[in-house]
Amino acid sequence: MSRTPRPAWCRGPRGAWGERGQDVCPAAGMAGIGSVRVCPSRTALLLGRLSYALLRSSPMPSFRGPIKAGLFPISSLLSSSCLPLLSCSLPGSLAASMAEPASTNPAHAHFESFLQAQLCQDVLSSFRGLCEALGVEPGGGLPQYHKIKAQLNYWSAKSLWAKLDKRAGQPVYQQGRACPNTKCLVVGAGPCGLRAAVELALLGARVVLVEKRTKFSRHNVLHLWPFTIHDLRALGAKKFYGRFCTGTLDHISIRQLQLLLLKVVLLLGVEIHWGVTFTGLQPPPKKGIGWRAQLQPNPPAQLASYEFDVLISAAGGKFVPEGFTVREMRGKLAIGITVNFVNGRTVEETQVPEISGVARIYNQSFFQSLLKATGIDLENIVYYKDDTHYFVMTAKKQCLLRLGVLRQDWPEIDRLLGSANVVPEALQSFVRAAADFATHGKLGKLEFARDAHGRPDISAFDFTSMMRAESAARVQEKHGARLLLGLVGDCLVEPFWPLGTGVARGFLAAFDAAWMVKRWAEGAGPLEVLAERESLYQLLSQTSPENMHRNVAQYALDPATRYPTLNLRAVTPNQVRDLYDVVAKEPVRRNSDKTDTGKLAAGSAGTQEELLRWCQEQTAGYPGVHVTDLSSSWADGRALCALVHRLRPGLLEPSELQGLGALEATAWALKMAEHELGITPVVSAKAVVAGSDPLGLIAYLSHFHSTFKNVPHNPGGLDGPASQGFPGSSSAVLFLGKLQRTLQRTRAQENGEDTGGKKPRLEASAGDLCALCGEQLYILERLCADGRFFHRNCFRCRTCEATLRPGDYGQHPGDGYFYCFQHLPQPGHKDGPDPGPKSQDLPTPDENSMPSGPSTSVIPQEGTSPVPNPSQPTRRLIRLSSPERQRLSSLKLTPDPELEPPPKPPRSCSALARQALEGSFVGWGIPVQSPQVVVAMKEEQEQSPPSSEEEEEEEEAEETMALDSDTQEALLTFAKNSGTMSKYPTWRRTLLRHAREEEMKRFCKAQAVQRRLHEIETAVGELEAEGTKVEQALRSQSTSPEQQKAQWLEQLLQLVQKKNSLLAEEAELMLTVKLLSLEEQQCEVDQELRGYMNLEEALKTPADRQAEEQLLKKLLDVVERRDEIVRFQEERRLSELASRPGAQR
């Protein structure tokens, strides 16, 4: 959609008469005193705003509105609140004319004050003044809204009414008559509670809201999904907060979000009571009386006697109404730190790029540099710019102790992070140093913003455990009075902050709760209403911008407009009977109020008899193999070899076992099961032969059974499941194991070691003793690596003591210790790895100690050094990884089904390495093909052209954001060659927006993976503790009844299968970690290599050519490893599709 060029007189320099987004004629005074000529090329204008510097330092009202071309008296367009500001910067005659009274209607001034109010008390006082001036009683529901709208009909108000009327006019609200007789009580004026109140008011219900606070003071910034931005704009967010999500910004402070939603609920007639705490429900004492609330301290009589039939709780995670069951999801200790610094809105501050999120899980180099420069050890960091400079980060406990932020280490989290144990000065120095490093010190002197108590707005909090309600709604009934209770916001699901899902899923829950109230008002049965609500609740935790409907403009209260895969009958009425309580009886509680320790794997071994029967079936027909029990029958190793051969034919023929002894055959079977089937040993070969660990052998065999139980039995043993892509999640364990061994061999070859005749060490330690601490190892505690067994807590990086996970560690051949890849000594590094900083000081980083930031990069220009200089960039560069470019280039496009996977290139070939490099730069303008990304942008813009308002807002953000030079040059070249330069700005903004979205997706994916890994680690620890108790009982209670022993053994096997299931999930997650890390590596190599390739050949030194060749080899290696993982995941996906019942064969 092309735009009409602006006249020359309105394209002046920014900061003079006009700013982008406004067109004001400099010769306005010639048209008549008190009038200006409005450019006819715009329908939404900003009139008479201050210069650029004054605008950035002072909040200004918005003057957008449907203004026709021609002359308009300034006095009718301006409120009295802005005249003093205007008069200080405009010409004398024009400023004098503006000093006249703004309007003869006092309600207009109150309304303008209401729109622009930036404090909660100012909003309330201006709204009271407005209602008094109009003779309207506040809190009167939709009739109040219509009365205000009828009396305020000047253009500024009309533009707001148009937005609200458009929302209220959706058929689902039935013109405000969908719930006319429904009385609702909403607890909590957080964003989710206010958003729920808006929907209930639009449905025509009477809504009363209680809030224990008296002001909004939270500066913390929330990430917004695209649909939340569109939703808030449709409610008039730009009228209340002119800077709302301008350009590509996708966040807002909690305080500002609450303010704009508060203004909406006030206009819609919601009755609000401040400083009132909800403490519980007051059931009706007799028939004919409804449900009431218990409120503190002294509620007004009208509120105390208010009877309602719907309660929506949005009071936060610490308060969940009685009757709801809450489940705890625990992870490792996670300490978050939030801090807000004063935003002076100087030019320098506006040019500092934001950090949408950078995580250690894929960008270890940044955090290693931070650790070396400042001593600060973080897991992630985010920086947003809003009313304040907002930083949030996850810090490691040992780092906080080492730097003196925490006085003492306490096992109790409340005590660890209590005010008595936190040193405020050290915490302030900690966050200042982290913020300085992340922004290269370009924010200048960081001054802390103040919280509600006047203290520096900084806090350390724990998000180790998060609460999640088991159900989203309940119904209580007493004396014939029914009450529908619903949860929204944090009391429904506490969000994991790095994912930025809190507000988005909170709004979705608010919509779903309002839909439930509508169904309730329509007369649907209680069980039907509850079943539908629980069906929607099952979708909530799975929602993301990618799996919801793409067209956010169609989102409405009806869940079918939001969820593509909607099944309102996923939960049946019979399944929610325990959610319908008659108060006369005790409520039925669910049995699922337990810590998330993973689901029991399908096909668990169950009893010894079932396991023995399966083993007999699998080993039947092999000569010399007779399985009669789960102990002595396996001592010669033949039965174990037969089992492995059945599942993986071709490794070793049964006839070849004739020359092998029992120990050698058993060791071979254990090795092949691990290397070719992904079955990690929990028992040693010596223990199997000696029969000294029967429980360990049973647990080991049960792993085979649970993984391959559903594989069709093949008596011939010709085609095993491995050759067809066997089912079961252990395939990820197998892939990571092979990857681990490949990397280890490569590293050994680089060190000049001979690995040809080396055999794996399988008997370096006994299976019942830890190879590191020498303590007892119980079955569920055993972790096998390099043929040795360890406690999981002992198996840590020698340097940083981080938990070592599959595929993410290596063994140093010199000292024999294990390290994470970040600290594994490089080839030729004879000394031990750097143990890390020991200093207690927090140095302020200077320009020489700062690496390039986590979200910025510089492309070397011709004739300059290819090494990036972090002090140069002042514009934000959106740096896209190659996978992100590939995703952007394929927007709205379908892949070619005949496209074959690329062949694996030779080990060392410069030409093919360059070809791989060019393939990784899809959309960079490489002359192999025209940039597909432009075609995709063109298609998208044709389908949904942006509004002029959005275009103008996005222009304002361009000065502090930029694409990398190659992408921008390719885009510009394509636009010139295709004769579509008029669409270049739109395409560029679209690409910027998608680039930011991809950047955020990568960060969210990394944080979700990291959180789940921590939860798995905690759950495995709990299983190990429980399994240890069961195993001790089995081994010590020799006189116990056989029935009791059988129950203990079955319990032990179930715990083993739970652990195996969790470890298989951990391996799946580690594949994602590998991909994220390789994507980041490829991006870094791309950037560095591009700098050398842009140099002229004549100017390259021998060192430059050598470095370029090394980078080409490194890029080839990274691309190969990424391709292997992607190919593996795709093959397994196709295999799973083919194995589903009813699949086409």
Side-chain angles (χ1 to χ4, degrees):
M1 177 176 175
S2 60
R3 298 172 55 190
T4 304
R6 285 185 286 184
W9 56 262
C10 67
R11 294 200 299 266
R14 191 174 179 130
W17 271 85
E19 183 183 21
R20 290 175 180 173
Q22 63 178 350
D23 296 321
V24 183
C25 178
M30 299 173 59
I33 297 177
S35 301
V36 296
R37 181 173 298 278
V38 181
C39 174
S41 65
R42 287 286 186 270
T43 59
L45 303 178
L46 293 175
L47 179 60
R49 296 172 70 181
L50 294 179
S51 64
Y52 175 76
L54 183 57
L55 176 68
R56 293 300 180 190
S57 60
S58 303
M60 289 296 298
S62 173
F63 298 105
R64 296 187 187 274
I67 305 177
K68 298 179 181 179
L71 297 176
F72 286 85
I74 290 178
S75 59
S76 66
L77 299 179
L78 301 178
S79 67
S80 59
S81 60
C82 67
L83 294 180
L85 295 174
L86 290 170
S87 60
C88 68
S89 60
L90 298 180
S93 60
L94 188 57
S97 67
M98 291 182 180
E100 299 175 1
S103 173
T104 57
N105 189 345
H108 290 186
H110 287 297
F111 185 71
E112 292 297 330
S113 298
F114 172 74
L115 292 180
Q116 305 303 327
Q118 293 297 301
L119 296 175
C120 182
Q121 294 301 325
D122 293 344
V123 172
L124 297 176
S125 62
S126 59
F127 186 72
R128 282 195 298 267
L130 174 64
C131 290
E132 291 174 0
L134 298 177
V136 175
E137 185 69 23
L142 284 182
Q144 170 215 285
Y145 165 73
H146 292 299
K147 291 178 183 178
I148 294 176
K149 185 179 71 170
Q151 299 185 61
L152 291 178
N153 55 8
Y154 69 107
W155 74 268
S156 182
K158 282 184 175 180
S159 63
L160 178 60
W161 306 147
K163 289 184 175 294
L164 295 179
D165 286 346
K166 183 177 179 181
R167 177 77 186 193
Q170 294 180 1
V172 70
Y173 301 115
Q174 300 175 22
Q175 298 298 319
R177 292 188 292 270
C179 304
N181 301 316
T182 304
K183 296 181 179 180
C184 305
L185 177 67
V186 179
V187 181
C192 298
L194 290 168
R195 191 63 190 86
V198 169
E199 292 302 310
L200 294 174
L202 290 173
L203 287 169
R206 182 187 176 188
V207 185
V208 175
L209 187 149
V210 294
E211 167 59 46
K212 64 181 179 180
R213 297 182 178 89
T214 58
K215 58 183 176 181
F216 300 149
S217 58
R218 291 183 290 175
H219 294 108
N220 293 357
V221 178
L222 302 172
H223 171 68
L224 300 178
W225 289 5
F227 95 85
T228 53
I229 296 175
H230 186 276
D231 176 70
L232 291 168
R233 276 179 172 163
L235 293 177
K238 293 293 293 184
K239 293 292 296 183
F240 304 124
Y241 182 47
R243 298 182 61 250
F244 175 75
C245 288
T246 54
T248 58
L249 296 182
D250 56 0
H251 50 75
I252 188 174
S253 69
I254 298 177
R255 189 182 72 86
Q256 286 290 354
L257 180 56
Q258 287 177 289
L259 282 174
L260 66 88
L261 287 173
L262 172 64
K263 295 173 183 178
V264 176
V265 299
L266 288 173
L267 289 172
L268 295 179
V270 174
E271 180 181 333
I272 304 179
H273 296 270
W274 303 90
V276 177
T277 302
F278 176 85
T279 58
L281 288 169
Q282 182 178 333
K286 60 182 180 179
K287 196 168 185 177
I289 299 179
W291 290 80
R292 299 179 182 178
Q294 296 177 0
L295 305 169
Q296 295 292 339
N298 295 312
Q302 180 184 1
L303 179 61
S305 61
Y306 176 61
E307 297 180 359
F308 48 89
D309 48 18
V310 174
L311 171 68
I312 301 297
S313 176
K318 294 183 179 180
F319 178 80
V320 178
E322 184 180 355
F324 285 90
T325 302
V326 176
R327 182 182 63 171
E328 180 184 20
M329 297 177 290
R330 293 190 60 82
K332 285 178 58 179
L333 176 64
I335 301 175
I337 299 176
T338 61
V339 59
N340 286 278
F341 297 106
V342 173
N343 186 354
R345 305 193 188 282
T346 63
V347 175
E348 292 76 12
E349 287 175 289
T350 60
Q351 293 178 344
V352 178
E354 293 182 336
I355 303 173
S356 297
V358 58
R360 176 187 292 272
I361 203 168
Y362 62 81
N363 192 348
Q364 296 183 357
S365 59
F366 169 78
F367 292 96
Q368 187 67 13
S369 300
L370 172 66
L371 179 63
K372 289 182 179 180
T374 66
I376 294 174
D377 200 5
L378 300 179
E379 291 286 350
N380 50 47
I381 187 169
V382 174
Y383 162 51
Y384 283 147
K385 200 176 337 184
D386 207 84
D387 287 345
T388 61
H389 295 292
Y390 171 69
F391 291 85
V392 58
M393 60 200 78
T394 303
K396 294 188 176 182
K397 181 181 72 172
Q398 294 303 324
C399 168
L400 297 176
L401 289 168
R402 174 169 46 84
L403 296 176
V405 177
L406 301 178
R407 290 188 169 92
Q408 192 171 348
D409 189 4
W410 297 102
E412 303 86 3
I413 297 178
D414 291 340
R415 195 173 182 183
L416 178 70
L417 298 180
S419 57
N421 198 46
V422 177
V423 181
E425 296 78 11
L427 181 59
Q428 293 174 20
S429 299
F430 183 95
V431 296
R432 270 200 177 105
D436 268 335
F437 185 89
T439 59
H440 308 299
K442 293 182 179 180
L443 288 179
K445 184 178 179 181
L446 294 171
E447 178 184 351
F448 289 100
R450 299 291 165 172
D451 61 15
H453 304 286
R455 297 172 302 203
D457 193 352
I458 176 175
S459 65
F461 61 97
D462 162 59
F463 58 99
T464 301
S465 63
M466 296 182 296
M467 311 305 292
R468 176 187 177 89
E470 284 290 322
S471 60
R474 300 185 71 86
V475 173
Q476 293 188 7
E477 181 179 347
K478 188 173 183 180
H479 296 305
R482 290 175 177 172
L483 175 66
L484 177 64
L485 299 94
L487 305 180
V488 298
D490 289 1
C491 65
L492 180 63
V493 179
E494 281 188 325
F496 181 46
W497 70 261
L499 300 185
T501 58
V503 169
R505 290 179 180 167
F507 277 23
L508 290 174
F511 297 155
D512 296 339
W515 175 260
M516 173 185 67
V517 174
K518 180 179 182 294
R519 297 281 291 127
W520 178 264
E522 290 172 348
L527 292 180
E528 183 181 353
V529 171
L530 291 173
E532 285 191 5
R533 181 66 188 96
E534 295 309 306
S535 298
L536 290 172
Y537 185 35
Q538 288 185 348
L539 295 175
L540 186 64
S541 61
Q542 306 169 17
T543 55
S544 67
E546 291 75 41
N547 60 20
M548 297 181 66
H549 279 306
R550 295 293 182 181
N551 186 6
V552 297
Q554 75 174 7
Y555 283 19
L557 196 61
D558 187 344
T561 64
R562 294 176 270 122
Y563 305 115
T565 57
L566 178 64
N567 180 11
L568 291 177
R569 297 182 179 179
V571 178
T572 64
N574 190 52
Q575 293 175 291
V576 295
R577 289 188 178 276
D578 59 336
L579 302 180
Y580 184 16
D581 297 336
V582 178
V583 179
K585 66 178 183 179
E586 287 294 325
V588 179
R589 299 184 67 86
R590 292 189 173 185
N591 296 324
S592 53
D593 186 14
K594 298 178 181 178
T595 302
D596 180 19
T597 57
K599 296 180 180 179
L600 180 60
S604 62
T607 63
Q608 293 186 68
E609 290 76 13
E610 182 183 355
L611 177 59
L612 177 60
R613 186 166 55 252
W614 181 81
C615 291
Q616 290 172 337
E617 292 175 354
Q618 296 298 319
T619 57
Y622 285 89
V625 177
H626 303 284
V627 175
T628 58
D629 55 30
L630 296 175
S631 56
S632 59
S633 297
W634 306 83
D636 60 0
R638 292 178 179 272
L640 197 56
C641 289
L643 180 60
V644 172
H645 183 268
R646 175 77 72 188
L647 299 171
R648 189 68 166 86
L651 293 177
L652 183 68
E653 292 301 324
S655 59
E656 299 179 28
L657 293 175
Q658 299 298 329
L660 297 179
L663 184 61
E664 190 174 5
T666 304
W668 175 89
L670 291 174
K671 171 188 171 184
M672 289 300 103
E674 180 181 11
H675 290 190
E676 303 297 335
L677 297 176
I679 306 296
T680 306
V682 294
V683 63
S684 65
K686 287 182 179 179
V688 174
V689 173
S692 59
D693 191 6
L695 288 179
L697 178 59
I698 292 174
Y700 182 58
L701 293 175
S702 72
H703 196 177
F704 283 90
H705 176 257
S706 62
T707 303
F708 302 107
K709 178 182 178 181
N710 296 323
V711 176
H713 179 56
N714 184 5
L718 298 177
D719 280 326
S723 64
Q724 301 173 358
F726 56 81
S729 56
S730 62
S731 56
V733 178
L734 173 62
F735 181 84
L736 281 175
K738 290 185 176 181
L739 181 63
Q740 181 80 38
R741 291 185 291 275
T742 300
L743 293 176
Q744 192 73 18
R745 286 194 300 268
T746 303
R747 187 173 292 273
Q749 291 171 359
E750 291 175 351
N751 285 331
E753 299 177 6
D754 181 16
T755 60
K758 228 176 183 181
K759 295 183 178 180
R761 179 173 44 187
L762 284 171
E763 299 303 324
S765 67
D768 58 348
L769 295 178
C770 177
L772 286 176
C773 70
E775 297 293 331
Q776 176 72 40
L777 266 177
Y778 292 94
I779 294 173
L780 266 82
E781 294 179 321
R782 296 174 189 174
L783 185 150
C784 183
D786 191 36
R788 294 180 288 176
F789 293 96
F790 306 88
H791 288 106
R792 192 176 179 92
N793 286 335
C794 295
F795 194 62
R796 296 178 177 273
C797 175
R798 174 73 171 174
T799 300
C800 65
E801 298 185 353
T803 301
L804 298 179
R805 296 189 173 92
D808 197 33
Y809 66 88
Q811 184 179 17
H812 188 247
D815 56 21
Y817 289 108
F818 294 94
Y819 298 88
C820 65
F821 282 137
Q822 182 179 353
H823 297 110
L824 184 63
Q826 297 299 315
H829 193 283
K830 301 302 180 183
D831 300 330
D834 185 7
K838 299 295 183 182
S839 173
Q840 296 284 334
D841 300 328
L842 282 171
T844 301
D846 54 26
E847 293 186 358
N848 296 327
S849 67
M850 293 182 189
S852 56
S855 59
T856 60
S857 61
V858 179
I859 306 299
Q861 305 298 322
E862 286 192 26
T864 63
S865 171
V867 180
N869 182 357
S871 63
Q872 290 178 357
T874 57
R875 304 177 68 191
R876 178 176 181 187
L877 292 174
I878 297 294
R879 187 183 69 176
L880 305 181
S881 66
S882 298
E884 289 167 351
R885 295 190 192 93
Q886 291 172 351
R887 285 193 289 271
L888 289 176
S889 68
S890 59
L891 288 173
K892 307 292 184 183
L893 300 177
T894 56
D896 185 357
E898 300 180 357
L899 186 64
E900 297 181 357
K904 189 174 181 178
R907 291 184 178 178
S908 58
C909 179
S910 177
L912 287 182
R914 287 180 180 273
Q915 183 179 354
L917 172 65
E918 293 178 355
S920 70
F921 280 108
V922 176
W924 274 53
I926 300 296
V928 177
Q929 57 183 358
S930 62
Q932 298 178 9
V933 64
V934 181
V935 179
M937 296 300 104
K938 182 177 180 180
E939 290 184 1
E940 180 177 345
Q941 293 304 317
E942 290 175 351
Q943 293 180 7
S944 56
S947 65
S948 59
E949 178 180 339
E950 291 175 346
E951 286 182 342
E952 292 170 2
E953 291 166 356
E954 289 175 345
E955 282 181 357
E956 296 179 5
E958 287 183 9
E959 292 199 356
T960 58
M961 303 183 67
L963 288 169
D964 54 77
S965 58
D966 293 281
T967 305
Q968 184 158 318
E969 182 179 352
L971 190 66
L972 186 60
T973 302
F974 182 87
K976 288 180 179 178
N977 295 340
S978 60
T980 54
M981 277 300 295
S982 61
K983 297 183 178 181
Y984 168 76
T986 302
W987 288 347
R988 182 177 179 275
R989 285 191 296 272
T990 303
L991 188 59
L992 278 170
R993 184 173 65 253
H994 281 292
R996 186 183 180 91
E997 291 172 0
E998 290 293 334
E999 191 177 276
M1000 191 65 190
K1001 287 178 191 176
R1002 179 170 53 174
F1003 177 70
C1004 290
K1005 180 187 289 187
Q1007 294 311 297
V1009 168
Q1010 189 168 12
R1011 172 67 189 187
R1012 184 55 188 158
L1013 287 173
H1014 289 172
E1015 290 176 353
I1016 289 175
E1017 186 174 347
T1018 301
V1020 168
E1022 294 174 355
L1023 288 174
E1024 290 175 352
E1026 187 177 353
T1028 298
K1029 295 178 182 179
V1030 175
E1031 186 177 348
Q1032 287 174 341
L1034 273 169
R1035 294 182 184 276
S1036 61
Q1037 302 296 332
S1038 57
T1039 60
S1040 299
E1042 291 300 321
Q1043 185 178 1
Q1044 179 64 62
K1045 289 183 178 180
Q1047 291 178 356
W1048 282 337
L1049 180 58
E1050 185 172 352
Q1051 184 180 357
L1052 180 66
L1053 294 180
Q1054 288 177 351
L1055 294 174
V1056 168
Q1057 298 313 314
K1058 283 185 178 181
K1059 179 181 177 180
N1060 289 338
S1061 177
L1062 288 173
L1063 294 183
E1065 183 185 356
E1066 180 185 52
E1068 296 280 356
L1069 295 173
M1070 288 306 300
L1071 285 179
T1072 304
V1073 171
K1074 282 287 183 186
L1075 275 178
L1076 289 170
S1077 179
L1078 290 171
E1079 287 175 7
E1080 185 70 16
Q1081 290 180 40
Q1082 184 172 344
C1083 183
E1084 292 174 356
V1085 176
D1086 283 349
Q1087 295 288 333
E1088 191 173 355
L1089 185 57
R1090 181 58 55 181
Y1092 286 105
M1093 294 180 66
N1094 286 340
L1095 293 176
E1096 295 182 9
E1097 285 295 327
L1099 299 178
K1100 291 182 181 179
T1101 64
D1104 290 338
R1105 293 188 177 90
Q1106 182 179 2
E1108 183 178 3
E1109 188 69 24
Q1110 291 175 350
L1111 287 174
L1112 286 171
K1113 292 179 180 179
K1114 185 176 180 180
L1115 176 68
L1116 177 60
D1117 178 63
V1118 171
V1119 171
E1120 283 181 338
R1121 284 192 282 163
R1122 279 193 59 243
D1123 286 346
E1124 287 178 4
I1125 297 177
V1126 172
R1127 190 177 295 114
F1128 165 76
Q1129 291 179 329
E1130 180 62 16
E1131 289 175 355
R1132 189 183 54 187
R1133 184 185 69 84
L1134 295 176
S1135 176
E1136 291 174 352
L1137 288 175
S1139 64
R1140 290 180 180 176
Q1144 301 264 342
R1145 294 187 183 275

